[in-house]
Amino acid sequence: MKNLSLKTLALGILALFAVTTISAQEEPAKKKNKFGLANRVGVGVGYGTEGLGFDVAIPLTQYVQVRAGLNIFPNIKFHENIDVEYVGETQIAGEQTIEDKVRLDAKFGRTYADLKFDVYPFGNRGNFFVTAGLSFGGSDLLSIKGHSGP
């Protein structure tokens, strides 16, 4: 029961951070030079459905910025013994019922990086943008292994 309480507390803390985002950008001295090739850097930290994320953004033009990031979804592991009943039929013995316990080991989590391009169709006149990019890294989000017997 103590282990379940720690898991519940950890998930509660993660849920609290899921609605929190922190970011920082240095404002350039002259507003006229606000956009340009790599003349400023934006840094972001957040937590959401992709896990804990770190981003770095650099403007390329008034209309395009490039972002690189790393997302870490923490590994959540659990183990469970379940009772199973298998009913099958063979030619020799006929119908048979087999009861057994199966131990399941599961892991939920992954880490991956991404590279994205943000396109601002209205330039510096608005906050609307479209993003295109790619993510690479961990291919398994959920892994379940099970075995029966001793």
Side-chain angles (χ1 to χ4, degrees):
M1 188 68 179
K2 180 181 177 184
N3 199 10
L4 179 62
S5 298
L6 290 175
K7 286 181 183 178
T8 305
L9 177 63
L11 288 174
I13 291 171
L14 290 176
L16 177 65
F17 284 117
V19 296
T20 305
T21 300
I22 302 170
S23 63
Q25 287 185 327
E26 182 182 337
E27 287 294 323
K30 296 180 180 179
K31 201 156 185 126
K32 182 172 126 182
N33 240 355
K34 186 174 180 182
F35 295 96
L37 182 60
N39 68 346
R40 62 189 174 111
V41 175
V43 178
V45 177
Y47 194 86
T49 57
E50 296 177 330
L52 179 62
F54 304 96
D55 288 311
V56 176
I58 299 173
L60 299 178
T61 69
Q62 179 180 355
Y63 298 96
V64 179
Q65 112 177 337
V66 64
R67 271 190 296 152
L70 178 69
N71 295 290
I72 303 167
F73 198 97
N75 284 332
I76 299 171
K77 298 178 183 179
F78 62 91
H79 313 284
E80 188 67 40
N81 291 318
I82 60 171
D83 295 323
V84 294
E85 183 176 295
Y86 173 74
V87 178
E89 190 171 325
T90 63
Q91 291 179 348
I92 298 172
E95 186 175 298
Q96 291 184 331
T97 301
I98 300 171
E99 294 180 6
D100 200 357
K101 286 194 177 284
V102 174
R103 172 150 174 97
L104 291 178
D105 298 313
K107 181 177 91 168
F108 185 72
R110 75 172 164 185
T111 300
Y112 63 95
D114 52 35
L115 179 66
K116 299 176 183 174
F117 292 89
D118 300 327
V119 178
Y120 293 83
F122 306 112
N124 61 2
R125 293 187 302 261
N127 292 326
F128 176 77
F129 64 94
V130 178
T131 300
L134 60 100
S135 295
F136 48 92
S139 61
D140 294 339
L141 180 61
L142 177 64
S143 172
I144 299 175
K145 296 178 183 177
H147 59 88
S148 62

